[in-house]
Amino acid sequence: DGGITQSPKYLFRKEGQNVTLSCEQNLNHDAMYWYRQDPGQGLRLIYYSQIVNDFQKGDIAEGYSVSREKKESFPLTVTSAQKNPTAFYLCASLSLGTGLGQPQHFGDGTRLSIL
Amino acid sequence: QKEVEQDPGPLSVPEGAIVSLNCTYSNSAFQYFMWYRQYSRKGPELLMYTYSSGNKEDGRFTAQVDKSSKYISLFIRDSQPSDSATYLCAMSSYSSASKIIFGSGTRLSIRP
Protein backbone atom coordinates (compact mmCIF):
# COMPACT_ATOMS: atom_id res chain seq x y z
CA ASP A 1 0.00 0.00 0.00
CA GLY A 2 1.23 3.49 -0.81
CA GLY A 3 1.64 5.90 2.01
CA ILE A 4 3.81 8.02 4.26
CA THR A 5 5.85 6.41 7.02
CA GLN A 6 7.10 8.44 9.94
CA SER A 7 9.50 7.05 12.50
CA PRO A 8 9.92 6.77 15.35
CA LYS A 9 6.40 7.12 16.74
CA TYR A 10 7.78 8.47 20.04
CA LEU A 11 11.10 10.24 20.58
CA PHE A 12 12.78 11.74 23.61
CA ARG A 13 15.41 14.44 23.47
CA LYS A 14 17.99 15.34 26.07
CA GLU A 15 19.17 18.90 26.66
CA GLY A 16 21.65 20.03 24.00
CA GLN A 17 20.93 17.09 21.74
CA ASN A 18 19.95 17.10 18.08
CA VAL A 19 17.38 14.52 17.02
CA THR A 20 16.25 13.49 13.55
CA LEU A 21 12.72 12.50 12.58
CA SER A 22 12.32 10.27 9.56
CA CYS A 23 9.70 10.65 6.82
CA GLU A 24 9.51 8.32 3.82
CA GLN A 25 6.81 8.21 1.12
CA ASN A 26 6.17 5.74 -1.68
CA LEU A 27 3.42 7.77 -3.35
CA ASN A 28 5.83 9.25 -5.92
CA HIS A 29 4.80 12.69 -4.67
CA ASP A 30 6.95 15.67 -5.59
CA ALA A 31 6.39 17.93 -2.61
CA MET A 32 6.94 17.10 1.04
CA TYR A 33 6.18 19.08 4.18
CA TRP A 34 6.87 19.17 7.90
CA TYR A 35 4.34 20.56 10.35
CA ARG A 36 4.34 21.04 14.07
CA GLN A 37 1.10 20.56 16.03
CA ASP A 38 0.74 21.70 19.63
CA PRO A 39 -2.22 20.68 21.84
CA GLY A 40 -5.40 22.43 20.79
CA GLN A 41 -3.65 24.22 17.94
CA GLY A 42 -3.60 23.86 14.22
CA LEU A 43 -0.73 22.87 11.98
CA ARG A 44 2.24 25.19 11.70
CA LEU A 45 4.52 24.78 8.69
CA ILE A 46 8.20 24.23 9.49
CA TYR A 47 9.77 23.45 6.10
CA TYR A 48 8.65 22.25 2.70
CA SER A 49 10.32 20.94 -0.44
CA GLN A 50 8.93 20.79 -3.95
CA ILE A 51 11.93 19.15 -5.60
CA VAL A 52 15.01 17.17 -4.65
CA ASN A 53 17.89 19.24 -3.24
CA ASP A 54 15.67 22.27 -2.72
CA PHE A 55 13.56 23.34 0.24
CA GLN A 56 11.97 26.47 1.71
CA LYS A 57 11.40 27.72 5.23
CA GLY A 58 7.89 27.75 6.55
CA ASP A 59 6.48 29.91 9.31
CA ILE A 60 8.49 28.43 12.21
CA ALA A 61 11.79 27.18 10.74
CA GLU A 62 14.08 28.46 13.50
CA GLY A 63 15.74 25.60 15.38
CA TYR A 64 14.98 23.06 12.66
CA SER A 65 16.82 21.79 9.60
CA VAL A 66 15.91 19.48 6.70
CA SER A 67 17.43 17.78 3.71
CA ARG A 68 15.92 16.38 0.51
CA GLU A 69 18.52 14.12 -1.10
CA LYS A 70 15.94 11.68 -2.44
CA LYS A 71 12.41 12.20 -3.71
CA GLU A 72 11.08 9.64 -1.23
CA SER A 73 12.72 11.02 1.91
CA PHE A 74 12.51 14.29 3.83
CA PRO A 75 14.12 14.00 7.29
CA LEU A 76 13.70 16.74 9.88
CA THR A 77 16.38 17.53 12.45
CA VAL A 78 15.30 19.26 15.65
CA THR A 79 18.42 21.05 16.82
CA SER A 80 19.43 22.12 20.31
CA ALA A 81 18.58 25.68 19.23
CA GLN A 82 14.88 24.76 19.35
CA LYS A 83 14.14 25.54 22.99
CA ASN A 84 10.59 24.23 23.08
CA PRO A 85 10.59 21.10 20.91
CA THR A 86 7.86 19.16 22.71
CA ALA A 87 5.12 18.70 20.11
CA PHE A 88 3.53 16.33 17.62
CA TYR A 89 5.36 16.44 14.28
CA LEU A 90 3.56 15.61 11.06
CA CYS A 91 5.01 14.91 7.65
CA ALA A 92 2.90 15.32 4.52
CA SER A 93 3.29 14.96 0.78
CA LEU A 94 1.51 16.20 -2.29
CA SER A 95 1.58 15.45 -6.01
CA LEU A 96 2.40 18.40 -8.25
CA GLY A 97 2.10 16.51 -11.51
CA THR A 98 -1.57 15.57 -11.52
CA GLY A 99 -3.17 18.99 -11.69
CA LEU A 100 -3.33 21.98 -9.40
CA GLY A 101 -4.87 22.03 -5.98
CA GLN A 102 -4.09 18.47 -4.98
CA PRO A 103 -4.66 17.66 -1.29
CA GLN A 104 -1.86 16.72 1.08
CA HIS A 105 -1.54 13.24 2.51
CA PHE A 106 -0.17 12.77 6.01
CA GLY A 107 1.86 10.29 7.99
CA ASP A 108 0.86 9.27 11.51
CA GLY A 109 3.25 11.62 13.24
CA THR A 110 6.12 11.54 15.71
CA ARG A 111 5.59 12.70 19.27
CA LEU A 112 8.74 14.40 20.58
CA SER A 113 9.28 15.05 24.27
CA ILE A 114 12.10 16.48 26.35
CA LEU A 115 13.74 14.28 28.99
CA GLN B 1 -6.33 38.14 11.48
CA LYS B 2 -5.72 34.54 10.48
CA GLU B 3 -6.32 33.60 6.86
CA VAL B 4 -8.57 30.73 7.96
CA GLU B 5 -10.75 30.83 11.06
CA GLN B 6 -12.30 27.74 12.62
CA ASP B 7 -14.19 27.45 15.91
CA PRO B 8 -12.11 25.13 18.13
CA GLY B 9 -15.14 23.72 19.98
CA PRO B 10 -15.41 21.34 21.67
CA LEU B 11 -18.69 20.44 20.05
CA SER B 12 -20.72 17.65 21.69
CA VAL B 13 -23.83 16.19 20.05
CA PRO B 14 -25.93 13.04 20.59
CA GLU B 15 -25.55 10.06 18.30
CA GLY B 16 -27.69 10.36 15.18
CA ALA B 17 -27.66 14.16 15.10
CA ILE B 18 -26.65 16.23 12.08
CA VAL B 19 -23.34 17.98 12.69
CA SER B 20 -22.34 21.23 11.02
CA LEU B 21 -18.68 22.28 11.04
CA ASN B 22 -17.62 25.58 9.53
CA CYS B 23 -14.66 27.69 8.48
CA THR B 24 -14.37 31.25 7.25
CA TYR B 25 -11.49 32.64 5.26
CA SER B 26 -10.22 36.00 4.12
CA ASN B 27 -8.26 35.22 0.93
CA SER B 28 -10.60 35.41 -2.07
CA ALA B 29 -7.98 33.59 -4.17
CA PHE B 30 -8.64 30.28 -2.41
CA GLN B 31 -10.18 27.82 -4.85
CA TYR B 32 -9.36 24.38 -3.48
CA PHE B 33 -11.02 23.30 -0.23
CA MET B 34 -10.42 20.25 1.92
CA TRP B 35 -11.68 18.70 5.12
CA TYR B 36 -9.49 16.40 7.18
CA ARG B 37 -10.39 14.19 10.14
CA GLN B 38 -7.78 13.62 12.82
CA TYR B 39 -8.10 11.02 15.55
CA SER B 40 -6.06 11.41 18.71
CA ARG B 41 -2.35 10.64 18.20
CA LYS B 42 -2.83 10.05 14.46
CA GLY B 43 -2.18 12.06 11.34
CA PRO B 44 -5.00 13.90 9.55
CA GLU B 45 -6.82 11.87 6.90
CA LEU B 46 -8.49 13.48 3.92
CA LEU B 47 -12.29 13.35 4.09
CA MET B 48 -13.51 15.68 1.39
CA TYR B 49 -11.95 17.71 -1.40
CA THR B 50 -13.78 20.31 -3.47
CA TYR B 51 -12.91 22.85 -6.10
CA SER B 52 -14.53 26.30 -6.21
CA SER B 53 -18.14 26.73 -5.09
CA GLY B 54 -20.90 24.19 -4.67
CA ASN B 55 -21.67 21.00 -2.81
CA LYS B 56 -20.06 17.59 -2.77
CA GLU B 57 -21.54 14.54 -1.10
CA ASP B 58 -19.82 11.32 -0.03
CA GLY B 59 -21.91 8.95 2.05
CA ARG B 60 -22.88 10.68 5.29
CA PHE B 61 -20.61 13.65 4.57
CA THR B 62 -21.45 16.78 2.57
CA ALA B 63 -18.99 19.58 1.89
CA GLN B 64 -20.34 22.97 0.94
CA VAL B 65 -18.42 25.99 -0.36
CA ASP B 66 -19.84 29.52 -0.57
CA LYS B 67 -17.12 31.65 -2.14
CA SER B 68 -19.23 34.81 -2.12
CA SER B 69 -19.38 34.62 1.68
CA LYS B 70 -15.90 33.05 2.06
CA TYR B 71 -17.47 30.28 4.09
CA ILE B 72 -17.16 26.51 3.93
CA SER B 73 -19.05 23.82 5.79
CA LEU B 74 -18.92 20.11 6.46
CA PHE B 75 -22.16 18.34 7.35
CA ILE B 76 -22.21 14.90 8.95
CA ARG B 77 -25.55 13.08 8.86
CA ASP B 78 -26.53 10.28 11.23
CA SER B 79 -23.44 10.98 13.36
CA GLN B 80 -21.75 8.01 15.02
CA PRO B 81 -19.45 7.78 18.06
CA SER B 82 -16.69 6.82 15.60
CA ASP B 83 -17.01 10.32 14.11
CA SER B 84 -15.57 11.74 17.34
CA ALA B 85 -12.35 13.43 16.24
CA THR B 86 -10.84 16.79 15.39
CA TYR B 87 -11.89 18.15 12.00
CA LEU B 88 -9.54 20.47 10.13
CA CYS B 89 -10.49 22.60 7.17
CA ALA B 90 -7.79 23.47 4.64
CA MET B 91 -7.56 25.48 1.46
CA SER B 92 -5.19 26.66 -1.25
CA SER B 93 -5.14 29.02 -4.19
CA TYR B 94 -4.50 28.51 -7.90
CA SER B 95 -1.28 30.53 -7.78
CA SER B 96 0.05 28.80 -4.68
CA ALA B 97 -1.54 25.38 -4.95
CA SER B 98 1.28 23.59 -3.15
CA LYS B 99 0.97 25.71 -0.02
CA ILE B 100 -2.09 24.66 1.94
CA ILE B 101 -3.48 26.78 4.76
CA PHE B 102 -5.14 24.92 7.64
CA GLY B 103 -7.73 25.95 10.16
CA SER B 104 -6.95 25.23 13.79
CA GLY B 105 -9.47 22.37 13.95
CA THR B 106 -12.80 21.71 15.69
CA ARG B 107 -12.94 18.97 18.31
CA LEU B 108 -16.15 16.95 17.89
CA SER B 109 -17.58 14.45 20.36
CA ILE B 110 -20.58 12.23 19.55
CA ARG B 111 -22.38 11.00 22.68
CA PRO B 112 -23.81 7.43 22.44
Side-chain angles (χ1 to χ4, degrees):
Chain A
D1 279 340
I4 300 172
T5 302
Q6 289 189 242
S7 62
K9 196 171 178 66
Y10 299 96
L11 187 59
F12 298 91
R13 195 191 88 169
K14 294 179 183 176
E15 288 287 335
Q17 187 181 42
N18 293 352
V19 291
T20 297
L21 285 60
S22 171
C23 178
E24 303 277 333
Q25 55 99 358
N26 61 3
L27 299 166
N28 198 32
H29 283 176
D30 310 280
M32 296 186 74
Y33 304 77
W34 275 105
Y35 293 93
R36 170 179 171 140
Q37 188 175 37
D38 293 282
Q41 296 194 30
L43 305 179
R44 291 188 288 168
L45 182 63
I46 305 172
Y47 268 99
Y48 66 104
S49 166
Q50 298 189 62
I51 195 169
V52 172
N53 292 323
D54 187 48
F55 45 82
Q56 287 76 42
K57 292 182 180 180
D59 302 317
I60 55 163
E62 187 174 346
Y64 301 97
S65 66
V66 293
S67 63
R68 186 92 186 273
E69 296 177 3
K70 298 187 300 182
K71 187 176 182 179
E72 303 79 19
S73 178
F74 192 40
L76 172 75
T77 296
V78 183
T79 75
S80 56
Q82 173 48 247
K83 296 307 178 191
N84 183 23
T86 298
F88 190 47
Y89 290 86
L90 287 160
C91 179
S93 70
L94 176 154
S95 172
L96 297 175
T98 52
L100 288 173
Q102 295 300 308
Q104 288 181 349
H105 297 266
F106 286 85
D108 269 342
T110 292
R111 188 164 299 277
L112 176 63
S113 303
I114 290 197
L115 278 178
Chain B
Q1 186 191 4
K2 290 181 181 178
E3 277 191 284
V4 179
E5 298 277 1
Q6 186 174 8
D7 188 333
L11 180 62
S12 179
V13 301
E15 184 175 354
I18 296 175
V19 176
S20 172
L21 303 168
N22 311 295
C23 287
T24 59
Y25 62 94
S26 57
N27 187 346
S28 58
F30 286 146
Q31 295 206 38
Y32 307 100
F33 303 94
M34 292 141 271
W35 284 96
Y36 289 84
R37 178 176 62 197
Q38 185 178 21
Y39 291 115
S40 182
R41 299 187 181 87
K42 298 290 248 180
E45 57 177 316
L46 181 68
L47 266 183
M48 299 288 282
Y49 166 65
T50 55
Y51 168 68
S52 197
S53 282
N55 292 0
K56 182 175 181 179
E57 190 172 316
D58 184 0
R60 297 184 296 110
F61 299 91
T62 299
Q64 197 171 75
V65 175
D66 182 349
K67 289 191 71 181
S68 62
S69 302
K70 298 193 185 71
Y71 189 87
I72 68 170
S73 301
L74 177 72
F75 298 97
I76 307 174
R77 290 184 299 282
D78 187 25
S79 54
Q80 306 293 311
S82 58
D83 295 327
S84 298
T86 296
Y87 290 79
L88 298 149
C89 63
M91 46 199 81
S92 63
S93 64
Y94 179 86
S95 61
S96 189
S98 63
K99 193 166 182 193
I100 297 178
I101 310 300
F102 288 85
S104 56
T106 299
R107 194 154 49 97
L108 173 66
S109 175
I110 309 296
R111 306 189 301 270

